[in-house]
Amino acid sequence: MNRRVRRKVARKGKEKVVFPSYPEIEDEVSSLERNGVVDWTGLPDDTVIQLFSCLNYRDRASLSSTCRTWRVLGVSPCLWTSLDLRAHKCDAAMAASLASRCVNLQKLRFRGAESADAIIHLQARNLREISGDYCRKITDATLSVIVARHEALESLQLGPDFCERISSDAIKATALCCFELKKLRLSGIRDVHGEAINALAKHCPKLTDIGFIDCLNVDEIALGNVLSVRFLSVAGTSNMKWGVVSHHWHKLPNLTGLDVSRSDIGPTAVSRLLSSSQSLKVLCALNCPVLEEDVNFASSKNKGKLLLALFTDILKDIASLFVDVTPKGRNVFLDWRNSRNKDKKLDEMMTWLEWILSLTLLRIAESNQQGLDEFWLKQGAALLLNLMHSSQEDVQERAATGLATFVVIDDENTSIHHGRAEAVMQDGGIHLLLNLAKSWREGLQSEAAKAIANLSVHSSVAKAVAEEGGINILAGLARSMNRLVAEEAAGGLWNLSVGEEHKSAIAEAGGVKALVDLIFKWSSDGDGVLERAAGALANLAADDECSTEVAVAGGVHALVMLARNCKYEGVQEQAARALANLAAHGDSNSNNAAVGQEAGALEALVQLTQSPHEGVRQEAAGALWNLSFDDRNREAIAAAGGVEALVALAQSCSNASPGLQERAAGALWGLSVSEANSIAIGREGGVAPLIALARSDTADVHETAAGALWNLAFNPGNALRIVEEGGVPALVHLCSSSVSKMARFMAALALAYMFDGRMDEYALIGSSSESVSKSVSLDGARRMALKNIESFVLKFSDPQSFSAAAASSAPAALAQVTEGARIQEAGHLRCSGAEIGRFVAMLRNPSSVLKACAAFALLQFTIPGGRHAMHHASLMQNAGAARVLRAAAAAATAPLAAKIFARIVLRNLEHHHIESSL
C-alpha cells in the first residue's frame, strides 16, 4: 500500500495556492522508506517552501533541479513575490525565461540599463515596487515603457547614482500611467519641470513620498501643488530658490517630513519652514554649510518640531519622537522597532528617516569632506550602526556601504581613519557586520564584506574580525556564485592576509583554494574580483607554508594565466607580485622551479616589464629577480628576451620609484650570475644605467646595482666598459660612503675584479667596441680603486684584535677578529667555482691590497652558519685553496690583514671539512 502524500496549502494573503500530488513520486518515496534511506523529498511541502524562502535564487534553482517534487515547489508563486536581479546579467532572453514564475511578482530590484530594458519581458503586470541603480544610461523611452506596462506601480525608485538621460517627459509619463503611485524617488535628474510635477499632483492622488535628489533644477512652486505629499526630499539639489520654498511649501497640508540635506539652505528659510508649517514634524538639514556657519541660529525655538543637523544631537532628537518608549542607549531605531505600542504615523516617519539618513550619510562619506571628524566619531558611526538594524534591505546596504566608505581617507594608498575604525569596533560594529555577512541576501553579503574589508586595514579591527570568526565567513563568501559578493570577500581576505598572524587561519579556513578557484571562475569577466584574489594570494604566498598550499591548489597556473591574458593593470600587478612571492622560497620548496616551468610564465613576466604602468613593471621585475636564482629559470629568462627587456627597463627608470629601480637592478644582478648573460647585458648597454642606479641615494637601489656591477666586472670586457662609462668613481663612492655594508662590500669586490690584471690584458687587445674613441687612464683609475679597497678592508680590521691574533693562534683571538669583520648579509651570497677560483688566484696577486681583499672576501663566504658556506668550502677544496691560503698566511711580505684573514679562512675550511665528515 502506497503512502499517501498530503497536498499542502501555501497561503498568500487571502488566496490559497493548492499544490498537486504526484502518485509516481509517492511510489519512489515509499520505496526509499522501506530501504531505510533518508528522503528529503518526504519533507512536508510547506517546510520545503519555507526552506526555499531562505535561499537566494541561484540556490533555489539548484535545489529545484534535484527532483520533480522540488522542481514543482521551486516555482511556487509565493516564492516569487520579490526578485533581485542586481547580481545577474538580465537581458530579454533571461527575463522571458523567468516570466512564468513572475505572474505574482510585486517587488523588483535591478541594476543597469540592460536589465531595465528587459523588465517588460518578465510580464509581471502586478508589479508594485521597482527599484533600480546604476541608472545613468536608462532613457526616457525605457522608463516610459516600464510604467506603461505596470500601471499598478506604487513605488518607483531610481538611484542613488544620477539618472542623466531621464527627463521630465518620463516623469510625466509615470504620472499618466501609474495612478496608484505612492512613492517616487529619483536621483540626478537635470530638470524637473513644473508640468511634470503638476501631472503628478493631478493624476497620482496617493503620492505621499517624493524624492528629487541631487537634481540640478526643480520647480519649487509646482512642488507646492502636490497636496498629498507627506515626505519630501530635495537633498543635494542645487539652484533651489529657498525664499520661494519657504513661502509655498509651508502651505502643504500633509507635509510631515522634509529633507533638505546637502543643500545651500540658510537659517532664514529653515526658521520660516519650522515656524509656519502646521504639519511639519521633522526637517532634516544635514551637511548644509550656510546653515551651519550661522553660530547664532537657535534650533530649539519651535517646540514639537525637530531639526536634524550636524550640530544637533540626532539620536537624542529622534528618540524624542517616542511618546511611550524609553530609549535604551543610543540604538534608537532598534528601540522603536521593538516597541510594543505601534503607531502607524510614527512607523512611517521612522521608516522614511531611516531611508533619507542612510542616503545622506553615504553621500557625505563619499565626498570625504574635511572637518567632519567630530561628527563621525560622536554621531555618524553610531547612526550608521543604528541603520544596519533596519528592516529595509536597501537601508541596511547603504549603512554598510557608508561604514566601508567613511573610514577610508585615501583609496589609492589604502589609508583609513583609525579613530573611525575604532569607533565602529567599540560600538559592536564588527559583530553586526559579520552577522549581516551571513545573511542569505547577497546585496547585504556584498556590502557587509566590503565594510569588513576596509575596516580590517586597521590591525586591531583585523584581530577582532579574526577572533569573531570573520575569516571563516569571508572564506565562505569567497565561494559565492555572486561575483560582487566574492569580490568583496576576496578584498577582506586580501586585507586580513597582510597580518602574518592571520595567514595560517585563512589557509585553514579553505581560503587559499577559494581564492584560486575565484580566478578560474571569473577569469574572463571580473577585473575587481581577480585583482583582490591575486592580491590576497600574493600576501599568502609570502609565507613559506602558505606558498606551498597556493601551489598545491593550482595557484601557479591560475596566476600565470592572469599574467598572460588579463589586460587590467591592477590584476597584472598583483599576479606578478604573487608569482614573485611564490618564487622567493627557493631554499624551502620547489615553487621557484614550478613557476619557471609553467608554460608562458617567463615570457609573460618579461612582457609585463614593458607595461606602461610602473607598478606592473616593478612587480614583474621583482618576479624575474626571484626566479633568476634558479639556474634553469635564469637561462630561460634570457632566452625569452629578458636581458634586452630588463636593460631597457633599467635605462628608462632613472626617474622612477626606488622600488622599481631596486627590482630592475636586482633582476639584472640575478641574470648576470651567468657569464653568458653578463656579457649580453654589457653588449646591450646595461652598464651605464647600472652605474646611474649605483649613484642612487636609496640604499636598496645602490646595493642591487653594486651586486649587478660586481657580477658584470668578472668579465674583463664589461670591466673596461665600467671604467669607460665612469663607473670607478661611482663604485669608489659606494665603497667609502654607503650606509649599506653589503653595497660597500660588493663595490670593493667589483673594483678588485676590475684591477686584478685581467682587464689590462683585455685592454691591450683593444678597448670595447662601443667606446673606441674614449681615452681612459687605467693607472689613475687603478690607484683610486686600490686606495678605497684598502680603506674599506681596514675598517673591518681592528688593530687591537689583530695584534692579539698575530701574537697567538688561539681560537678565541681569531674568533674575535671574525666577529669584527663579519658582514651578516654576505652569508647569503652564492659564488660559482670560477668566482671562488678568482679570489684564490688573487691571493697570489702582487698587490698587497688585493691580497687582503681576497682573503677578506673568502672569510665572508666561509663563515660557519652562512647559507652557502659549505658550498663555498667545497669549491675551495676543489680549487686547492688550502695551499694558497697557507702560503698567504706565512708570507713575510703580505700585509697583516691578509695573513690574519687567510688563517681564519683555513680554520673555517677545517670546520666545514669536519662537519661534512660527521
Side-chain angles (χ1 to χ4, degrees), residues 749-778:
L749 298 188
L751 291 169
Y753 276 170
M754 291 162 62
F755 295 106
D756 68 351
R758 298 192 187 189
M759 184 180 67
D760 296 356
E761 297 170 6
Y762 183 84
L764 289 174
I765 300 171
S767 63
S768 64
S769 58
E770 294 87 351
S771 309
V772 174
S773 63
K774 293 183 180 179
S775 175
V776 180
S777 171
L778 291 181

Side-chain angles (χ1 to χ4, degrees), residues 762-811:
Y762 183 84
L764 289 174
I765 300 171
S767 63
S768 64
S769 58
E770 294 87 351
S771 309
V772 174
S773 63
K774 293 183 180 179
S775 175
V776 180
S777 171
L778 291 181
D779 288 340
R782 180 182 294 105
R783 286 193 297 271
M784 184 192 306
L786 293 179
K787 177 182 177 182
N788 282 275
I789 293 172
E790 182 178 26
S791 297
F792 168 74
V793 174
L794 286 175
K795 288 179 181 177
F796 294 87
S797 308
D798 177 59
Q800 186 175 352
S801 59
F802 263 52
S803 299
S808 169
S809 298

Side-chain angles (χ1 to χ4, degrees), residues 404-437:
T405 306
F406 95 117
V407 76
V408 177
I409 298 172
D410 184 353
D411 194 35
E412 289 294 321
N413 298 311
T414 322
S415 178
I416 69 167
H417 192 290
H418 288 255
R420 297 177 189 178
E422 288 165 5
V424 174
M425 182 171 61
Q426 289 164 5
D427 281 348
I430 303 305
H431 181 72
L432 184 54
L433 284 166
L434 290 173
N435 280 339
L436 280 186

Side-chain angles (χ1 to χ4, degrees), residues 471 475 478 489-490 492-516 519 532-551 553 555 559 574 577-585 589 591:
I471 288 176
L493 293 174
W494 186 4
N495 287 343
L496 284 167
S497 62
V498 171
E500 294 296 324
E501 67 274 23
H502 304 312
K503 290 179 180 177
S504 60
I506 292 172
E508 290 168 7
V512 171
K513 182 68 165 59
L515 291 164
V516 171
I519 293 175
R532 287 163 174 77
L537 289 172
N539 288 348
L540 293 168
D543 177 82
D544 190 25
E545 292 183 8
C546 289
S547 72
T548 301
E549 189 156 344
V550 170
L559 292 163
Q574 297 307 322
R577 186 169 73 91
L579 291 170
N581 287 346
L582 280 173
H585 306 279
N589 60 45
N591 287 348

Side-chain angles (χ1 to χ4, degrees), residues 91-115:
D91 54 17
M94 178 182 173
S97 70
L98 292 171
S100 62
R101 295 172 171 83
C102 295
V103 175
N104 295 316
L105 186 65
Q106 295 193 5
K107 295 175 65 175
L108 174 68
R109 299 186 74 180
F110 72 91
R111 175 166 288 161
E114 185 178 18
S115 294

Side-chain angles (χ1 to χ4, degrees), residues 315-433:
L315 289 170
K316 181 180 178 181
D317 289 345
I318 292 174
S320 69
L321 291 171
F322 307 150
V323 176
D324 58 346
V325 176
T326 302
K328 301 172 183 177
R330 298 208 296 169
N331 210 330
V332 174
F333 289 95
L334 190 59
D335 292 338
W336 155 66
R337 205 168 289 108
N338 294 334
S339 172
R340 294 181 180 180
N341 300 321
K342 296 299 181 183
D343 180 330
K344 183 181 178 182
K345 290 186 177 180
L346 176 62
D347 291 348
E348 290 174 348
M349 171 66 76
M350 294 295 286
T351 301
W352 177 76
L353 276 174
E354 284 186 335
W355 198 92
I356 59 120
L357 285 173
S358 65
L359 179 58
T360 293
L361 291 171
L362 176 57
R363 284 289 195 229
I364 296 173
E366 288 171 339
S367 66
N368 197 18
Q369 294 178 43
Q370 301 297 313
L372 293 181
D373 281 352
E374 184 178 0
F375 167 74
W376 285 122
L377 293 174
K378 289 186 176 180
Q379 297 199 76
L383 276 166
L384 289 170
L385 292 174
N386 262 268
L387 294 169
M388 283 174 59
H389 290 287
S390 173
S391 58
Q392 301 178 76
E393 186 179 350
D394 54 347
V395 170
Q396 286 183 303
E397 288 181 19
R398 276 198 295 272
T401 308
L403 288 173
T405 306
F406 95 117
V407 76
V408 177
I409 298 172
D410 184 353
D411 194 35
E412 289 294 321
N413 298 311
T414 322
S415 178
I416 69 167
H417 192 290
H418 288 255
R420 297 177 189 178
E422 288 165 5
V424 174
M425 182 171 61
Q426 289 164 5
D427 281 348
I430 303 305
H431 181 72
L432 184 54
L433 284 166

Side-chain angles (χ1 to χ4, degrees), residues 620-637:
L624 292 171
W625 182 10
N626 287 348
L627 289 164
S628 67
F629 283 89
D630 180 89
D631 294 341
R632 283 179 296 181
N633 286 346
R634 190 182 307 122
E635 303 313 316
I637 291 169

